[in-house]
Amino acid sequence: MKCYLAFLAFVQTAIGAALTRDTDSVKSVTIDVVNANLAPDGFTRSTVVANGQYPGPPILATKGQTLRVTMNNKLTDPTMRRSTAFNFDGINFNSQNVFEEAEPFVNACPVGPGSSFTYEANPNGQAGSFWYHSELSVQYVDGFRGPLIIYDPADPHRSLYDVDDVNTIIQVADWWQRSTLPLLDGYVATGIVPVSDSGTVNGIGRFQGGPEVPWAVINVVKGKRYRFRIINESARNVFTVSIDNHDMTVIAADGTNTRPLTVKKMEMLAGQRYDVVVKADQAVGNYWFNAPFVGGNPANNLHQNATLSRAIIRYAGAPKVDPTTPMTAGPDDGALVEADLRPLVPTRVRNPDVTLTFNLVVTTGKAQWNINGVSYLPPQTPTLEEVLDGATNQTDFNVTENTFILPAGKTVEVVFPPTDDDDAHPFHMHGMPMQVIKSMTSNQTNTVNPISRDVVGVGGTGTTIRFTTQNTGPFLFHCHIFWHKFAGLASVQLVDPAATRKNVQPNQAWEGLCPAYDALPAELQ
C-alpha cells in the first residue's frame, strides 16, 4: 500500500507535466520516455512510461493546431525494449507528412535509447478524442500510452453538456504485472495470448488477492451535464462500460460526431473511443463506474477478476466512501449497437473502385495470424523508404510485407467474411477514416449514412468497410489486439507509389533514424 500511495502522489503531481510551448497554430509537447517503478494495481513493477507516469500526461490541443511532439528516449532497463516509437492514434497524416506517421518499419525506424525525435502531425480539421502510445512491437503493454484530445471551439454538440475538461477524460486499459519480453516468449512458445492481471480506470486497478488500492474517483456536481471522453487504451481487452443509475448519450465515436444516441452500456474494443454526455441527476452519493472486461481465459491468470475493474462517480457533498451497492457488471439491457450509430453530418458514400476480401486465419498452436494466407512481417527497410528508393510494383515487396498497392483518389471496399464465432478483432486503419458499410453487430448494409471511425470490429456476421485513398503513401491496417498484430495480423495499404515519391520530402532527422537504429546492438533495439 505504501508503494501505491507513493505512486498516487507522484501521479497527482505529474498530471499535465508534459512540457508545452504553444502558439496559436502549434501545440508543442515534450515527452520523456523513461523506466519507472509503478504499481497501478498495487503490484510494483518496472514500466515504460511517458514522463514517469501511467497513463501518460494528457496532450490537449485545439482544432486547427499542428501537433509537435518531441520524444526523448531515456529508457535504460535491459529487461524491456529500449528503443521506442510514438504514435498519434486516430490522427490522419496527409501525403506530405506521411513520413512523420512513424509506424515502425512502415513509415520510419524506431528511436534508440539516448536519442530524440520530433513528430509533427497536422490533423487536417480533426477534433475529438484520440490517444497516443508506443507503436513498437507490444511495448505499450509496459505502460507507454495516454490521451490526446483535440477540442473544437465550434463543437456542434456544445449545447448538450456543461463540463468538458481534463477531469472528464476516462481511460480504461488492461494491465500486466510481467514485462512484455517474457510474455512474448510465452506467447511464441504456446500460441496462447497473454491474459492481463487486471483492468485499470485512469491508471488504477485491483487484482484478485491483491491490496485494496483506492478506486479512481470521477467527481461531479448534481445538476450538471458532463462530456466523458472514454478511451479504451487496451492491447487486448474488451471493456463494457456503464454507470449505475445513469444513462449515457453517445455523441462521438473515434473522433466522429454522431447523432445523439442514449444507451445504458457500451462495449469498447481495444483502441475505440466514445464521447458520451452524462447528466448528474441522481441523489447525491457515490455510484459505480463499471468497466468489466473480457480478454482470454481467466484460468490462464488467476490474478484476473474483471469485477474489480471499476471506479467511483462521486457527487459533490457525498461522503468519501465506496458505493454501498453491489459491484455488478452493469445493466442487462440498453447496450449500444454500433450499427445504430449515425453520423451527425453524413458523408458521401461512393461505389467501390477496388474490392478486397480479407480472410483471417490463426495457425493453431502458434503465435501466427494471417490475412489471405500471409502473416505480416515488418521489413528491415521501412516500406516508405523502399518506395522512395523506387519500389512500385507488387514484385518489389516481399510477400510477407502483405502490401496492397492502390490507386489514389479511389474508393476501396474491404470485405471481412463471417466467422464461426462472435469474437471481434478491432481492425485499425492508419491515415484514412473507414465508413462502416456493414457492422458485425447487424446483418444490414448501410450505404446511406454509415458511421466513419478508425477502429471497427471484425468477425461474427461479417464486416464491410470502405475508405477513400485521399492521401498517398503506406498506411498500416492491423488488428489493435497488439499481440495479434505482433503475430502477423496486419497489412499495408500503399497508395500510389509514384505520387508518394513526388509528394514526400522527409527531413534530415527522419533520414537519420534508420542508420542510427541499424547501428544499435540487438539488445538496444
Side-chain angles (χ1 to χ4, degrees):
M1 184 61 70
K2 289 181 179 179
C3 289
Y4 169 75
L5 292 174
F7 158 75
L8 181 61
F10 180 82
V11 169
Q12 288 173 335
T13 58
I15 286 293
L19 302 176
T20 61
R21 296 179 300 279
D22 296 347
T23 67
D24 290 341
S25 61
V26 178
K27 175 71 176 187
S28 295
V29 175
T30 299
I31 284 180
D32 294 334
V33 184
V34 300
N35 298 117
N37 290 323
L38 301 177
D41 63 0
F43 180 91
T44 302
R45 56 156 292 189
S46 180
T47 62
V48 175
V49 287
N51 288 17
Q53 66 184 80
Y54 167 77
I59 297 176
L60 309 176
T62 302
K63 183 178 180 179
Q65 283 187 311
T66 294
L67 302 174
R68 186 175 295 153
V69 176
T70 297
M71 184 186 72
N72 302 312
N73 183 346
K74 298 184 177 182
L75 298 174
T76 59
D77 189 336
T79 67
M80 289 177 282
R81 290 291 290 263
R82 279 178 276 180
S83 290
T84 191
F86 181 94
N87 178 254
F88 301 86
D89 204 293
I91 300 300
N92 299 325
F93 284 74
N94 61 34
S95 301
Q96 287 71 39
N97 68 356
V98 67
F99 70 93
E100 302 269 19
E101 217 269 341
E103 169 66 39
F105 311 110
V106 175
N107 306 84
C109 280
V111 179
S115 298
S116 301
F117 188 77
T118 297
Y119 301 88
E120 189 168 295
N122 183 343
N124 299 313
Q126 287 180 277
S129 301
F130 308 95
W131 62 301
Y132 65 86
H133 58 79
S134 170
E135 191 77 10
L136 180 60
S137 184
V138 294
Q139 189 182 55
Y140 83 77
V141 168
D142 289 317
F144 184 5
R145 36 188 162 174
L148 165 59
I149 309 299
I150 302 177
Y151 295 100
D152 182 358
D155 176 21
H157 285 311
R158 184 63 188 86
S159 63
L160 300 182
Y161 56 87
D162 305 303
V163 183
D164 176 25
D165 57 27
V166 69
N167 299 305
T168 62
I169 302 169
I170 303 177
Q171 302 163 83
V172 297
D174 39 25
W175 187 253
W176 280 262
Q177 294 172 359
R178 300 175 67 201
S179 64
T180 52
L181 294 186
L183 289 173
L184 279 175
D185 287 343
Y187 182 29
V188 171
T190 65
I192 300 173
V193 179
V195 174
S196 71
D197 290 276
S198 59
T200 62
V201 180
N202 287 344
I204 298 173
R206 290 184 184 182
F207 65 95
Q208 186 68 28
E212 293 188 351
V213 175
W215 307 107
V217 175
I218 301 151
N219 293 297
V220 299
V221 174
K222 184 175 175 62
K224 290 190 177 294
R225 301 164 301 168
Y226 292 82
R227 179 177 184 154
F228 289 131
R229 298 173 179 268
I230 307 175
I231 307 171
N232 184 354
E233 297 176 0
S234 290
R236 181 181 189 181
N237 289 358
V238 180
F239 286 81
T240 300
V241 301
S242 64
I243 304 172
D244 283 359
N245 293 11
H246 294 73
D247 289 339
M248 301 177 292
T249 299
V250 180
I251 60 171
D254 294 359
T256 297
N257 288 323
T258 65
R259 295 180 191 170
L261 178 65
T262 299
V263 300
K264 295 183 182 299
K265 62 181 179 181
M266 304 182 302
E267 181 179 271
M268 300 184 67
L269 307 181
Q272 289 186 328
R273 295 91 62 202
Y274 286 113
D275 291 25
V276 300
V277 174
V278 175
K279 185 175 182 180
D281 58 1
Q282 299 298 302
V284 170
N286 294 286
Y287 298 84
W288 288 121
F289 176 91
N290 309 298
F293 58 85
V294 294
N297 186 350
N300 291 330
N301 190 336
L302 298 181
H303 278 176
Q304 189 178 102
N305 181 346
T307 305
L308 298 177
S309 180
R310 60 186 55 249
I312 297 174
I313 301 290
R314 176 167 292 152
Y315 279 65
K320 295 182 178 180
V321 297
D322 290 357
T324 57
T325 52
M327 295 183 190
T328 71
D332 295 327
D333 60 353
L336 170 66
V337 177
E338 181 187 56
D340 292 342
L341 290 172
R342 296 289 182 268
L344 186 64
V345 179
T347 55
R348 179 181 175 185
V349 182
R350 300 175 183 270
N351 292 326
D353 302 295
V354 177
T355 299
L356 305 173
T357 299
F358 278 14
N359 289 291
L360 314 183
V361 179
V362 63
T363 302
T364 304
K366 294 184 178 180
Q368 186 179 79
W369 278 89
N370 64 64
I371 297 174
N372 298 345
V374 177
S375 184
Y376 176 79
L377 286 175
Q380 284 190 320
T381 301
T383 306
L384 180 58
E385 186 172 332
E386 293 181 285
V387 172
L388 296 179
D389 288 342
T392 300
N393 303 310
Q394 205 75 47
T395 54
D396 295 327
F397 301 94
N398 292 330
V399 172
T400 54
E401 293 180 61
N402 215 8
T403 300
F404 294 80
I405 299 176
L406 304 172
K410 301 297 182 180
T411 296
V412 179
E413 180 174 88
V414 182
V415 177
F416 295 87
T419 60
D420 294 333
D421 56 54
D422 293 329
D423 287 345
H425 292 277
F427 258 69
H428 174 52
M429 175 70 78
H430 287 234
M432 298 169 282
M434 300 178 286
Q435 291 180 311
V436 184
I437 302 300
K438 184 197 170 300
S439 170
M440 66 172 288
T441 64
S442 170
N443 289 316
Q444 301 300 312
T445 295
N446 181 1
T447 57
V448 177
N449 53 0
I451 189 68
S452 290
R453 64 185 318 164
D454 58 71
V455 182
V456 63
V458 170
T461 65
T463 304
T464 301
I465 61 99
R466 290 181 192 171
F467 62 92
T468 300
T469 52
Q470 57 194 18
N471 296 317
T472 58
F475 299 95
L476 199 67
F477 186 28
H478 64 89
C479 181
H480 220 304
I481 297 174
F482 260 47
W483 306 100
H484 290 172
K485 179 192 173 191
F486 167 85
L489 200 52
S491 69
V492 175
Q493 309 301 303
L494 173 56
V495 180
D496 198 336
T500 299
R501 284 189 287 275
K502 179 181 178 180
N503 292 331
V504 177
Q505 295 182 343
N507 58 32
Q508 187 175 359
W510 181 89
E511 292 175 345
L513 284 175
C514 284
Y517 180 79
D518 292 342
L520 290 172
E523 63 270 18
L524 295 182
Q525 289 186 339

